[in-house]
Amino acid sequence: MPAASRPTVGHYCGLFGIFGHPEAAYLTQLGLYAQQHRGQEAAGICTTDGTRIQRAAGMGLVGNVISPRALEAIRNPVAIGHVRYSTTGSNCDLNVQPLLFEFAGGQVATAHNGNLCNASLLRKRFEDDGHIFQTTCDTEVIVHLLAKPAHQAKPDSLAHVLGHLQGAYCLLVLFPDRLVAARDPYGFRPLSLGRLGDAWVVASETCAFDIIDAEYVRDVEPGEMITITAEGVASKQFAPTNGRGAACIFEQIYFADPSSTVFGQNVHLVRVAMGRRLAEESPVDADLVVPVPNCARCASIGYSQFSGIPFGRAFTTSHFVGRSFIMPNQADRDWAVKMKLRVIKEAVKDRRLVVIEDSVVRGTTTRGKMGALRRAGAKEIHLRVASPPIRHPCYFGIDFPDPSRLVATGRSVEEIRDYLGIDSLHYLSVEGMLSAVSMPKEKYCTACFTGDYPVDVDHPVDKYALERRQLRMFK
Amino acid sequence: MPAASRPTVGHYCGLFGIFGHPEAAYLTQLGLYAQQHRGQEAAGICTTDGTRIQRAAGMGLVGNVISPRALEAIRNPVAIGHVRYSTTGSNCDLNVQPLLFEFAGGQVATAHNGNLCNASLLRKRFEDDGHIFQTTCDTEVIVHLLAKPAHQAKPDSLAHVLGHLQGAYCLLVLFPDRLVAARDPYGFRPLSLGRLGDAWVVASETCAFDIIDAEYVRDVEPGEMITITAEGVASKQFAPTNGRGAACIFEQIYFADPSSTVFGQNVHLVRVAMGRRLAEESPVDADLVVPVPNCARCASIGYSQFSGIPFGRAFTTSHFVGRSFIMPNQADRDWAVKMKLRVIKEAVKDRRLVVIEDSVVRGTTTRGKMGALRRAGAKEIHLRVASPPIRHPCYFGIDFPDPSRLVATGRSVEEIRDYLGIDSLHYLSVEGMLSAVSMPKEKYCTACFTGDYPVDVDHPVDKYALERRQLRMFK
Amino acid sequence: MPAASRPTVGHYCGLFGIFGHPEAAYLTQLGLYAQQHRGQEAAGICTTDGTRIQRAAGMGLVGNVISPRALEAIRNPVAIGHVRYSTTGSNCDLNVQPLLFEFAGGQVATAHNGNLCNASLLRKRFEDDGHIFQTTCDTEVIVHLLAKPAHQAKPDSLAHVLGHLQGAYCLLVLFPDRLVAARDPYGFRPLSLGRLGDAWVVASETCAFDIIDAEYVRDVEPGEMITITAEGVASKQFAPTNGRGAACIFEQIYFADPSSTVFGQNVHLVRVAMGRRLAEESPVDADLVVPVPNCARCASIGYSQFSGIPFGRAFTTSHFVGRSFIMPNQADRDWAVKMKLRVIKEAVKDRRLVVIEDSVVRGTTTRGKMGALRRAGAKEIHLRVASPPIRHPCYFGIDFPDPSRLVATGRSVEEIRDYLGIDSLHYLSVEGMLSAVSMPKEKYCTACFTGDYPVDVDHPVDKYALERRQLRMFK
Amino acid sequence: MPAASRPTVGHYCGLFGIFGHPEAAYLTQLGLYAQQHRGQEAAGICTTDGTRIQRAAGMGLVGNVISPRALEAIRNPVAIGHVRYSTTGSNCDLNVQPLLFEFAGGQVATAHNGNLCNASLLRKRFEDDGHIFQTTCDTEVIVHLLAKPAHQAKPDSLAHVLGHLQGAYCLLVLFPDRLVAARDPYGFRPLSLGRLGDAWVVASETCAFDIIDAEYVRDVEPGEMITITAEGVASKQFAPTNGRGAACIFEQIYFADPSSTVFGQNVHLVRVAMGRRLAEESPVDADLVVPVPNCARCASIGYSQFSGIPFGRAFTTSHFVGRSFIMPNQADRDWAVKMKLRVIKEAVKDRRLVVIEDSVVRGTTTRGKMGALRRAGAKEIHLRVASPPIRHPCYFGIDFPDPSRLVATGRSVEEIRDYLGIDSLHYLSVEGMLSAVSMPKEKYCTACFTGDYPVDVDHPVDKYALERRQLRMFK
């Protein structure tokens, strides 16, 4: 599986934390379940009773790896949890977050979403100072920073430590007596604060609040660190924001659940707006607007609404995954597509289709889908992609493949259209994309589309440096 | 789980068979996978090399219970397979189909979709004659019939035996040297014949052909028995059809995959037509047409197209099932809904919604969904159900709950509307439903809606008689 | 694995039953555990509350396949259980005993130890009469006999049915309201009756009584059938014994646990007596008497005691079995020996050893052990086998390999000595063997040593006929 | 389970290493299997191809936790492995050895047998310096020492680091390009060097050499560090020995396999000698010498030989462990005994028994066994223990319970005899014990018997300090 060959960093993750509820562990399990779309590879929960931290974690879905008995064993009023997307392979149990360490200050558990650009550099320094590392998580370096006596001596050591980090991060840090939530000064990834009765909750996405009937209070602000104790919530701006923000627009396009509110806007509505704008930018005379399952449904609704072309359906999907399907000898180029999607031939035959994709990365799967529609007899295929072409690497937590493998690298839109074997192709413009979101342009990171990086990456620390080095450790 | 308390019969099943392909076992696994929506409880495959039959089967998804090694072990050119929906509990391994028996005529394996109305009666007779039974499958009685010396003496014993069966059945029977596919004279359940190169395939739904790139040839006709051997395909009408047919219209409404062609029509298009008719029958002034996930999407498309009200989205769904979620102490009436659906509050707030359901059975889940929409701020909720009210039991394979638990039993539509807490409610009329399908009215069974049973059920054999008795055996 | 290729019949099994104890299921699990040496392949328990029978069973050790939850689910005051030795492979779940069937008389569960010589013949007749079979257990034919209306009409149908069986069998039959224990008229296999408070217990071996602190009452007699109901215990001689008995002397030599009392004698003491006689028959001048682990310890003690040669130890054993050891490429002839035994080289070097084996079957493993002793520096190796050479097939439940694979077939003792590469070899004489047991010679079956079969086997029904035929069914 | 509540340190472990064999991983699995008696809780293997280290490990038996596929994945010519006895509970995967870390010097994997007395102190210092810890293994502190820049700067940093350690340790350290084996200057635990063709092997016990047909070369000496590279073997005395040694005599009495050679003597022969001396010290007029299974067999042989009283057998044992046995409500004091041992009543009844135990710790199990013999009718029970009374804690790796729970603490031998309910009791004297071993008295540690500690323990670092603190981490 290609997924297994990707290095593991903190990206594609979901966070949840809760302070002050007797069922904190159980609610954390639910909060992670609601964010399972942010990571299915591993899940973990750490809880504290005020004096010591306990942990339950494993590889797999949150509903599988944390048994009712394990949950009962860690039943405490304060908890943080983590779901993770990617992995380097089978021996990575050590990497499952939250990580739990002990240092001079006692116990500390950490859960991280994002990508620390200077993790490799910091790790190198710590190693030179004689420190040892056991995981490939960039999170581990944060704990080394925290444990440093000079940092421990500071009045607020964690705030001090966060000042050393570069890159994208949302962070939950659990001490036996307090829960800290922090968001990097650029605000790359989402993190929200909510309330459930007397308890405080934090989560990557607000859909985690909905499942437990918690109420959204506000976002954790870029550069803000929120400390929750028995005394209440304290906020601190641990780093200044220079006016430039970097909210990852790909959260709006692909990652987040449509029911979530992210960066101040409902994800579904943003996608509908992008779909409308897409219709405005590239109208086409056609019979049906059909989404490529499942992510493009919102944008398709927008396209259909604006264009007046009826919303339709070209595919059905299978959710019944099993472990033991094997590739037959005569390997089939469209294999992956067939296992997940089935074309409704009668709905497609002789029709002129506007097909909506949320985004196109490698292009291979999209090409397979287009071929399937063509073989089913589609008269015309007009692909409309509800985001611009992806042409630049992400250093902040999205695990795009190497630029050389992106279909849009070095190809004009016309060449891509030709590669996909379709009648017309249009990508949403950058301006169109930005028109759908509410903050000013300079508050978003659109670097994967534009190459305009919010921080200096003239000499970018190779995002895979740490992982490549670590691959020696875990096969 | 309520599902676990239901008795097991052959209904809600999917069949697949293939004759004459070196990868028959593997292709059967794929064919079952494509029909996994017809049954996720158990799966099994029997294959033959021309002289002996082998079996691999188990409880669970086909991709989990049949390992690559097991598949390799039964690699033979002829195969039948079965997926099953319901179960009585954990000790039912003996019931997993295909069943494999030995009798004087040698080995025989059977896979069954449907419900034999006279299974209990026949079983009683066999027991009185000294026969013993090991499963609760009505299929077992078929093999007893087949093994009877008087029947074995007939020129075509299986055809003779099929004449004894009453009720709904599609049947695959595998002998070491031949594969037989049969469909009851009323044609309750679908069964199609296809071709893959030189091999012949049969399946409950044509989507199983698509996944292996097989070509649809024709339906197995009511009362027809098709025998596939090395010599080719032979057809025989084992029982006359009296003009009355009984194609289960609920296959079109709910069971079958939208990509399948069933009873001569594509399922998606039938549902779209039902949705259009629904709009025609009960127009409403509203802002959005939203489907209740996931089945009502096709009908919603139809409603939107006819009414001109934009297609929208009110829910997102979770497919990440885990084993270990437990009900919290403070049980929540909308728990089940919340775990599967999330309301997109911003899409719903202050909107006048036309909500489309494919069908309403107990009404409890629908009520939960309507409540969730209301709490999210929907201004008006107009539920439109793309099928008539279900008020009568099914004796032919659909596992509706006891009539007393159907929301429509003894309630007027207005009372149902009141129970669901919505602004308006309309069910598709029987005529409207029938207008969407292509065969004459008398070729369908609509008994669950109309009480008009295609066969005499004045003294119906209690459909659960067999299972209730058997419950003693398997706890 | 060679073991996996053996057909499955009832032989090498352990039985346990209990009537009238609130913890019957739990005590049956213990009773089976104590008899686990009689079968590790599969285990099962059936219980009844007086009206219906329930079942829990599976492949593997009794402590693994029957979970506490499953045990709780079948908590009833009456139970029977079964452990089984051999298997034909991985798809044999259907064969796990007790088997549970339904017939006109209601439910019946059966557990069987032995080998029915006429099972194949009877099965053929039933099949000719139109009956179907689902397992390869000869037990299934007993239930067909029982279900036959003509037999059901008899005053005591089960006793009548037992009269039809030929061969070796101990049988537990559980009806919803009674437990029946029966032993064939020759008494091939052991079966004992015991008491635990007010409850009655039956078991293949008395060690099952010890573990639950039950008291041994008496043996079930050859040809006796004991029926236990709420009213108490009733005995019936269902078949006459003709004076000839056939207690399997191999139970004394190898099968039974040394702590059990079998056929009226403690197994350990019988083996010690055999060892003493062995020393008397074949004295040798040596330094140490060492048993081949683990079965020959009792006989070694006897040999040492009679000869005065000190008891010693040449091997240590490993009990830590794992699943994933694989044969290295350079396969090693003594591999199997090495994984289980380690030679204590210092105890063996330059010593003259009397090595005691309980029996020698194929000879390959013994040869490996002798080679290991030789390589460790043993000066002389004098093998003494505490039973005569095995040269004849068993038709009554012992799964010896084909006679052509027995080391003693067609070889003189001298030739065997040469094959084993040792200095001297002596087998216990038949007379010596019989001198250690207490019943008259004609009460034992010694056919595997003498060819003197207790019943006419001029035209023996091939013991594998049934299984070979069935192998078509279960790969 | 009491076992689960014990803290985890390196004690009760088995080590294996091999350099320069294509099947190193596989042979390590075998070498660990042969030493499985030293630890069944967890197993792990690290291998290197000369440039990077890989790891496969898990909780359970080596044959279960390392699959053939995992073994294949780490197929490299150099390997170390570890089996571990004790555990703190279910979430201890992080503690499974070998541990694998990365530091400035690259990768390093460590496997440890013993107990570092100053681990807690060193850990405290590192934590004060800002280091973080992730496991409760004292091994982790060794890697921190190694990673320290001041130590890295030394010509032979590992040798330098070993000088910091106090306590008992045998250590395997794997770098990508070399394998180091070291033994503490007192030589508490055994470690041997062997040869297999061109490859070098090291193991805790020589029985690991036997299973792979490797040849014993010599012991790794106290204070010696052996470095194996492609260039060959280099030896270095990293610390002086002051004449005092501390070979753990409990290895001879209980831990090691009888087939192993430990501290220059075959274990079996040492135990036989102890048994002989025991007979000499405490003769008794009796009928039989019987060992308590399984460890006392060697000593029993010695006792029988010296005394002339016949060797006999009073128990049979069960090796069929299952997971799901549960304590019945009416808990039974002799439960644990009954599940493992069965008394051969007929061998015991009316006999005067000399019962041999290798050692008595808590006394509860021994008491249960004596009671079982008594109830079986033993006329006299004379317990002879082949080691002195255990009255003092071990700080060097043996996990004796708290002294207050030792049966011999504060009890005279007569009081112990009374507690055990037997006729006479004799413990082997310290002199007798020492007479059976070959090195001078001052080369052994007999502290658990004598309180004479080989190193100053006036202010002993509490052996559990580290673990107790860590218990907060892992529930």
Side-chain angles (χ1 to χ4, degrees), chain C residues 118-131 133 148 164:
Chain C
N118 61 339
S120 188
L121 185 67
L122 290 169
R123 182 166 176 153
K124 175 79 172 57
R125 274 191 215 150
F126 275 111
E127 289 184 354
D128 288 346
D129 279 354
H131 287 241
F133 285 77
K148 206 170 175 174
H164 290 72

Side-chain angles (χ1 to χ4, degrees), chain D residues 153-171:
Chain D
K154 301 282 178 186
D156 190 339
S157 56
L158 181 55
H160 180 78
V161 160
L162 295 175
H164 290 73
L165 305 180
Q166 291 171 14
Y169 56 87
C170 284
L171 204 59

Side-chain angles (χ1 to χ4, degrees), chain D residues 81-274:
Chain D
H82 187 272
V83 288
R84 190 185 77 194
Y85 182 84
S86 60
T87 177
T88 58
S90 58
N91 279 320
C92 286
D93 296 27
L94 299 177
N95 275 338
V96 178
Q97 297 198 36
L99 299 178
L100 177 56
F101 294 97
E102 185 157 7
F103 71 114
Q107 286 180 295
V108 60
T110 58
H112 173 219
N113 173 29
N115 192 47
L116 299 185
C117 297
N118 61 339
S120 187
L121 185 67
L122 290 168
R123 181 165 177 153
K124 175 78 172 56
R125 274 191 214 151
F126 275 111
E127 289 183 356
D128 289 345
D129 280 354
H131 288 239
I132 65 176
F133 284 79
Q134 204 180 6
T135 78
T136 63
C137 296
D138 44 11
T139 313
E140 193 173 356
V141 88
I142 303 176
V143 183
H144 282 271
L145 283 167
L146 185 64
K148 208 171 174 175
H151 296 163
Q152 279 291 302
K154 301 282 178 186
D156 190 339
S157 56
L158 181 55
H160 180 78
V161 160
L162 295 175
H164 290 73
L165 305 180
Q166 291 171 14
Y169 56 87
C170 284
L171 204 59
L172 298 184
V173 184
L174 184 69
F175 297 94
D177 63 343
R178 67 194 189 278
L179 193 169
V180 180
R183 195 169 164 218
D184 70 68
Y186 288 88
F188 281 97
R189 305 269 150 239
L191 191 64
S192 295
L193 180 71
R195 195 98 223 230
L196 174 60
D198 292 335
W200 290 95
V201 289
V202 286
S204 294
E205 288 189 31
T206 61
C207 65
F209 296 164
D210 295 343
I211 202 171
I212 60 166
D213 281 330
E215 190 187 346
Y216 169 82
V217 173
R218 67 171 176 88
D219 280 11
V220 177
E221 294 300 321
E224 184 186 16
M225 177 180 126
I226 286 180
T227 303
I228 314 174
T229 64
E231 270 66 55
V233 170
S235 167
K236 168 167 192 163
Q237 193 74 17
F238 67 86
T241 57
N242 58 8
R244 179 68 164 101
C248 171
I249 204 157
F250 218 69
E251 292 273 354
Q252 292 287 19
I253 291 166
Y254 177 86
F255 277 171
D257 188 81
S259 70
S260 289
T261 290
V262 158
F263 307 140
Q265 285 181 285
N266 169 254
V267 173
H268 170 74
L269 293 185
V270 169
R271 292 181 190 170
V272 170
M274 287 174 176

Side-chain angles (χ1 to χ4, degrees), chain B residues 14-49:
Chain B
L15 306 178
F16 187 86
I18 180 166
F19 191 102
H21 193 290
E23 297 295 350
Y26 179 70
L27 294 168
T28 299
Q29 192 193 25
L30 289 182
L32 294 178
Y33 172 76
Q35 297 180 97
Q36 192 87 77
H37 58 283
R38 297 184 73 87
Q40 299 102 50
E41 275 293 328
I45 297 176
C46 280
T47 68
T48 175
D49 60 358

Side-chain angles (χ1 to χ4, degrees), chain C residues 11-348:
Chain C
H11 50 228
Y12 280 73
C13 297
L15 305 179
F16 187 86
I18 180 164
F19 191 103
H21 194 290
E23 297 296 348
Y26 179 69
L27 294 168
T28 299
Q29 192 193 26
L30 288 181
L32 294 179
Y33 172 77
Q35 297 179 97
Q36 192 87 76
H37 58 283
R38 298 184 75 86
Q40 300 102 49
E41 274 292 329
I45 297 177
C46 280
T47 69
T48 174
D49 60 0
T51 56
R52 72 182 183 143
I53 300 176
Q54 292 174 290
R55 181 174 183 265
M59 305 290 288
L61 297 178
V62 65
N64 290 339
V65 301
I66 303 180
S67 69
R69 213 177 61 167
L71 210 58
E72 184 60 32
I74 61 167
R75 202 167 173 252
N76 285 319
V78 182
I80 64 172
H82 186 271
V83 289
R84 190 184 77 195
Y85 183 84
S86 59
T87 177
T88 58
S90 58
N91 280 321
C92 286
D93 295 28
L94 299 177
N95 275 337
V96 177
Q97 299 199 36
L99 298 178
L100 177 57
F101 295 97
E102 185 158 5
F103 71 114
Q107 286 181 295
V108 60
T110 58
H112 174 219
N113 175 27
N115 193 46
L116 299 185
C117 297
N118 61 339
S120 188
L121 185 67
L122 290 169
R123 182 166 176 153
K124 175 79 172 57
R125 274 191 215 150
F126 275 111
E127 289 184 354
D128 288 346
D129 279 354
H131 287 241
I132 64 175
F133 285 77
Q134 205 181 5
T135 78
T136 62
C137 296
D138 42 13
T139 313
E140 193 173 354
V141 87
I142 303 176
V143 183
H144 282 270
L145 282 167
L146 185 64
K148 206 170 175 174
H151 296 162
Q152 279 291 301
K154 300 282 179 185
D156 190 340
S157 56
L158 182 55
H160 180 78
V161 159
L162 295 175
H164 290 72
L165 305 179
Q166 290 171 16
Y169 57 88
C170 284
L171 204 60
L172 298 184
V173 184
L174 183 68
F175 296 95
D177 63 343
R178 66 194 190 278
L179 192 169
V180 180
R183 196 169 163 217
D184 70 68
Y186 287 87
F188 280 98
R189 304 270 149 238
L191 190 64
S192 295
L193 180 70
R195 194 98 223 230
L196 175 60
D198 292 335
W200 291 95
V201 290
V202 286
S204 294
E205 288 189 32
T206 62
C207 65
F209 296 164
D210 296 343
I211 202 171
I212 61 166
D213 281 330
E215 191 187 345
Y216 169 81
V217 174
R218 66 171 178 88
D219 280 11
V220 177
E221 294 300 321
E224 184 186 15
M225 176 180 128
I226 286 180
T227 304
I228 314 175
T229 65
E231 270 66 54
V233 170
S235 168
K236 168 167 192 163
Q237 192 73 18
F238 67 85
T241 56
N242 59 7
R244 179 69 164 99
C248 171
I249 204 157
F250 217 69
E251 292 273 355
Q252 293 287 19
I253 291 166
Y254 177 86
F255 277 171
D257 188 81
S259 71
S260 288
T261 290
V262 158
F263 308 140
Q265 283 180 289
N266 169 254
V267 172
H268 170 74
L269 294 185
V270 169
R271 291 181 191 170
V272 170
M274 287 175 176
R276 294 183 67 91
R277 174 68 181 243
L278 188 61
E280 189 180 354
E281 287 187 3
S282 59
V284 62
D285 194 17
D287 302 315
L288 277 182
V289 175
V290 296
V292 163
N294 282 318
C295 302
R297 260 187 282 163
C298 307
S300 300
I301 286 169
Y303 196 104
S304 169
Q305 285 176 7
F306 188 90
S307 66
I309 302 171
F311 182 95
R313 194 176 178 191
F315 297 98
T316 69
T317 48
S318 173
H319 305 304
F320 305 105
V321 182
R323 286 184 302 266
S324 74
F325 292 99
I326 40 165
M327 205 68 172
N329 292 336
Q330 52 277 52
D332 182 328
R333 144 184 83 96
D334 296 328
W335 174 260
V337 174
K338 262 194 224 160
M339 286 296 283
K340 280 205 200 147
L341 298 181
R342 303 157 196 167
V343 177
I344 306 172
K345 289 183 284 191
E346 288 77 359
V348 163

